[in-house]
């Protein structure tokens, strides 16, 4: 009879350690991973709003982040900044280095040449010189 009374007690003790066993074996926890991804998206959205970036720019700069989480973080930071009368902090990097053209003139000349190559009527008209940087 004593063995039948110990069985439920041992079973209860084994079930109590299931969470710790998963941590020891480094088993993935989908709920924790989803919470971490959402928290990261909210942090990205909040940082974008604090730096004064538009929501669409934030989406474009962080394509792997969940859009709903980014929006939620952006909105929370917007509400916080409005309540506390805070101004946005301008970002130090205005654009990512990969998307920045070599110079504004070279980009406009390349765009003009591409447009002229695709439009047969434009080949007959002379190209206008690019404007000087102001």
């Amino acid at each position: 009879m004593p063995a039948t009374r110990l069985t439920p007690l041992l079973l209860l003790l084994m079930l109590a350690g299931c969470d710790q066993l998963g941590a020891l074996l480094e088993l993935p926890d989908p709920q924790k991973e989803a919470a971490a991804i959402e928290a990261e998206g909210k942090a990205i959205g909040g940082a974008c709003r604090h730096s004064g970036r538009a929501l669409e720019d934030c989406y474009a700069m962080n394509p792997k982040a969940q859009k709903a989480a980014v929006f939620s973080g952006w909105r929370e930071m917007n509400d916080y900044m409005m309540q506390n009368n805070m101004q946005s902090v301008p970002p130090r990097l205005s654009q990512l280095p990969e998307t920045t053209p070599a110079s504004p003139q070279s980009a406009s000349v390349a765009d003009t040449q591409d447009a002229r190559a695709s439009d047969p009527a434009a080949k007959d008209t002379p190209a206008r010189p690019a404007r000087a940087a102001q």
Side-chain angles (χ1 to χ4, degrees), residues 3-134:
T4 57
R5 290 186 180 180
L6 288 177
T7 303
L9 181 62
L10 287 174
L11 187 60
L12 183 65
L13 286 173
M14 287 175 36
L15 289 176
C18 284
D19 290 339
Q20 294 172 355
L21 180 64
L24 289 175
L25 297 177
E26 296 182 14
L27 298 174
D29 186 3
Q31 292 175 342
K32 287 182 182 178
E33 289 176 5
I37 291 171
E38 184 174 354
E40 183 178 353
K42 282 186 172 187
I44 289 170
C48 283
R49 173 58 187 104
H50 189 255
S51 66
R53 294 193 190 277
L55 187 58
E56 293 80 11
D57 294 341
C58 193
Y59 290 153
M61 292 173 64
N62 303 287
K64 293 182 180 178
Q66 290 181 346
K67 289 186 177 186
V70 171
F71 174 72
S72 177
W74 195 93
R75 187 184 65 218
E76 287 174 8
M77 179 58 79
N78 185 55
D79 294 344
Y80 178 79
M81 290 175 70
M82 292 296 168
Q83 288 175 355
N84 295 310
N85 198 19
M86 294 175 60
Q87 299 296 319
S88 60
V89 177
R92 292 184 180 206
L93 296 175
S94 60
Q95 290 182 347
L96 295 176
E98 297 87 19
T99 61
T100 305
S103 71
Q105 289 180 346
S106 65
S108 64
V109 170
D111 292 343
T112 304
Q113 290 172 351
D114 290 341
R116 291 176 53 78
S118 64
D119 186 11
K123 290 181 181 178
D124 299 332
T125 59
R128 291 188 301 169
R131 291 183 184 171
Q134 296 176 357

